[in-house]
Amino acid sequence: MNPNTTAVILVGYQNDYFDRDGLLHQVFEESSTIHNVITNTVKFIKQLPTSTLVIATPIHFTPTYEELIDPVGILKNIKDAGALQAGNKGSQMTTELLPFASQILEIQGKRGFNAFAYTDLHQVLQANQIKDIAIAGAITSICIDSTGRAAQELGYQVSILSDCTAARTVFEQEFYCENIFPIYSNVITHQKMLDSFKVMQ
């Protein structure tokens, strides 16, 4: 994997998910899971080559959630909880990643599960001649899976960072990493990805 043609896509690294007081934090069965993910992600970003593009794709809604028409499932839960409203603390980048804000390109427009939908993510990746993408964040079975499938269909080589993604339950995380993601992507740890970069140097 070439660090010069690789992008890391950060999905859902927002306070409503990752902060202990976040409005959506309770969707995770074990708080330790989300804590481990943010710890691993910080370690990962610290060691990334400067040539590797890092992109955050936050999801934001207006106070009336007019973007959502008859939402069901987790989108309905988000609306009912009043979560991820643009301008609120809960929608902002999680505190642990703020020290890296200057090296993270934030792409706005995400309104659902897939980070490519309603955003110019694909255009930005193409402009930077990106061939490989690694996906990290939450939630494994929803936004990570949707974004990964979309990326594969657009022609990117996809890697899912198994220790930098968070599912609602341990079972869900293991099931997706062992049975779903391998169908269309490489499932690797953040250290394995860093090691692959070292081989290229």
Side-chain angles (χ1 to χ4, degrees), residues 60-174:
H60 293 143
F61 296 103
T62 57
T64 60
Y65 295 89
E66 60 194 45
E67 305 90 345
L68 300 179
I69 301 174
D70 296 325
V72 297
I74 194 167
L75 290 178
K76 184 177 186 301
N77 293 342
I78 288 171
K79 181 179 180 180
D80 291 346
L84 300 172
Q85 289 187 16
N88 287 355
K89 178 186 175 183
S91 70
Q92 296 171 2
M93 183 180 293
T94 186
T95 306
E96 291 86 349
L97 293 188
L98 291 180
F100 310 101
S102 62
Q103 69 187 83
I104 299 175
L105 173 64
E106 194 165 273
I107 294 181
Q108 300 292 332
K110 187 172 182 285
R111 294 289 184 271
F113 305 145
N114 174 9
F116 287 91
Y118 308 108
T119 74
D120 60 356
L121 176 58
H122 180 49
Q123 290 82 354
V124 170
L125 295 174
Q126 291 291 287
N128 285 275
Q129 299 181 317
I130 299 300
K131 297 178 181 178
D132 296 89
I133 70 167
I135 305 175
I139 294 173
T140 295
S141 62
I142 307 170
C143 294
I144 303 302
D145 187 41
S146 294
T147 300
R149 289 171 187 260
Q152 192 276 333
E153 291 172 354
L154 288 168
Y156 298 100
Q157 293 293 320
V158 180
S159 294
I160 306 293
L161 299 179
S162 59
D163 59 346
C164 293
T165 48
R168 293 169 297 178
T169 67
V170 172
F171 171 81
E172 182 178 277
Q173 179 73 12
E174 293 176 348

Side-chain angles (χ1 to χ4, degrees), residues 5-90:
T5 57
T6 298
V8 175
I9 312 299
L10 304 176
V11 180
Y13 283 87
Q14 295 165 264
N15 288 323
D16 271 339
Y17 278 127
F18 283 86
D19 190 273
R20 294 186 185 278
D21 296 324
L23 296 175
L24 302 173
H25 190 74
Q26 72 278 1
V27 304
F28 301 102
E29 183 179 62
E30 298 182 17
S31 293
S32 59
T33 299
I34 201 82
H35 175 74
N36 290 338
V37 165
I38 196 65
T39 299
N40 290 334
T41 303
V42 168
K43 290 179 181 177
F44 180 54
I45 295 177
K46 279 183 178 179
Q47 299 179 70
L48 275 176
T50 56
S51 60
T52 301
L53 183 63
V54 183
I55 297 175
T57 58
I59 183 169
H60 293 143
F61 296 103
T62 57
T64 60
Y65 295 89
E66 60 194 45
E67 305 90 345
L68 300 179
I69 301 174
D70 296 325
V72 297
I74 194 167
L75 290 178
K76 184 177 186 301
N77 293 342
I78 288 171
K79 181 179 180 180
D80 291 346
L84 300 172
Q85 289 187 16
N88 287 355
K89 178 186 175 183

Side-chain angles (χ1 to χ4, degrees), residues 44 47 161 163 188-196 198:
F44 180 54
Q47 299 179 70
L161 299 179
D163 59 346
I188 60 175
T189 64
H190 77 278
Q191 188 59 57
K192 186 175 180 180
M193 182 172 174
L194 292 171
D195 290 344
S196 73
K198 293 175 184 176

